[in-house]
Amino acid sequence: MRPRRLAVVGTVAAGTVALFASPAFAHVSVQPGQAEKGGYSVVDFKVPNERDDASTVKLEVTVPTDHPLASVMPQPVPGWDVKVTKSKLDKPLEVHGKKINEAVSKVTWTAEDKGIEPGTFQQFPVSMGQLPEDADQLVFKALQTYDNKEVVRWIEEPKEGAPEPENPAPVLTLVEPAEGSGHHGSGSGADADDKDEHRDEDGKQRTADGDDGDASDTTARVLGIAGLVVGAAGVAFGVLGMRRRSA
């Protein structure tokens, strides 16, 4: 019975390793996978190299135009040239009272040297916003090009309740803003202003009755010294008591 059990355990373990080593898990993705609606966020497009004999030398990410973003700014990545492509909008955006007639539709990174070599990955940070409030996700279709001219198209949109497609597109899930976040206009700025009102010209925070922090520090020191004196007196009485008993 024992050999049979070992064989079963070995088969399960091998299947598990094969499952997690499957290429389906090593696709172009966006991290973190979610951001708050109506806000701005910095996300990384994570690109793993899935080939043993080729390097990734180009990444093209399409920014959805059904929910255009007024600001898309890639962070420079050493060893990579970045190009931002803009397209004219069918319907202009209004941001901070200004109308925007075009928005970023594609970001392209091209390797200047070796690119992403086998067994490695690269992250491409992008700041983007204002994220839409009327959508639950943004789909960024991506093309990954290897130095052997192979192009992997990560363009299939995942469907809820369906198995993951073979070449899923990176998806950024949009969630409702957390309670108290700046997106609702109730950030910590008001609290900070209230606290500043209780500070004097030297920057020391005052208490409710107008006394500054020095008063509380002095009180704490006095109480601390008094505690030490009481403790020392207790030790002295204890020693005297022991001497009397021994006598």
Side-chain angles (χ1 to χ4, degrees):
M1 294 295 292
R2 182 174 296 176
R4 183 177 298 177
R5 290 179 180 177
L6 291 177
V8 172
V9 172
T11 302
V12 173
T16 303
V17 171
L19 175 64
F20 285 98
S22 172
F25 289 89
H27 52 74
V28 176
S29 61
V30 58
Q31 298 181 352
Q34 68 178 33
E36 292 185 351
K37 296 180 179 180
Y40 288 77
S41 182
V42 176
V43 300
D44 292 331
F45 289 96
K46 182 179 179 180
V47 183
N49 193 319
E50 296 183 307
R51 302 295 179 261
D52 297 328
D53 56 355
S55 296
T56 297
V57 293
K58 188 176 182 180
L59 173 69
E60 300 172 74
V61 173
T62 299
V63 181
T65 55
D66 54 342
H67 292 92
L69 303 176
S71 175
V72 176
M73 296 186 296
Q75 178 178 327
V77 177
W80 292 80
D81 176 70
V82 60
K83 179 182 178 182
V84 176
T85 303
K86 294 185 177 181
S87 299
K88 188 174 181 179
L89 299 175
D90 295 332
K91 182 180 179 181
L93 289 176
E94 186 170 342
V95 180
H96 303 302
K98 296 182 179 180
K99 287 188 176 181
I100 299 177
N101 296 314
E102 61 178 12
V104 174
S105 56
K106 182 189 294 185
V107 182
T108 304
W109 292 267
T110 305
E112 298 175 331
D113 194 6
K114 297 179 180 180
I116 309 172
E117 298 182 283
T120 65
F121 73 93
Q122 178 67 54
Q123 296 190 43
F124 300 91
V126 178
S127 172
M128 59 180 62
Q130 186 176 0
L131 299 176
E133 299 180 354
D134 57 348
D136 295 325
Q137 66 178 24
L138 291 177
V139 179
F140 299 91
K141 296 182 179 181
L143 302 182
Q144 181 179 8
T145 302
Y146 289 87
D147 57 9
N148 61 1
K149 307 303 180 183
E150 178 188 5
V151 178
V152 181
R153 301 169 63 85
W154 304 101
I155 62 174
E156 300 178 54
E157 184 175 345
K159 302 296 184 181
E160 186 176 356
E164 184 180 61
E166 184 177 356
N167 294 314
V171 176
L172 178 65
T173 301
L174 302 179
V175 298
E176 295 296 332
E179 185 177 354
S181 69
H183 301 163
H184 288 295
S186 58
S188 58
D191 295 336
D193 292 339
D194 291 341
K195 292 179 180 179
D196 288 341
E197 291 178 359
H198 297 290
R199 294 179 182 272
D200 58 21
E201 63 275 7
D202 296 326
K204 297 177 181 178
Q205 188 170 352
R206 294 181 178 274
T207 57
D209 58 1
D211 294 332
D212 60 22
D214 290 342
S216 59
D217 290 343
T218 302
T219 303
R221 290 175 183 175
V222 171
L223 291 176
I225 294 173
L228 291 175
V229 172
V230 173
V235 172
F237 281 119
V239 172
L240 290 175
M242 292 179 63
R243 288 183 177 180
R244 290 178 180 178
R245 290 181 181 179
S246 59

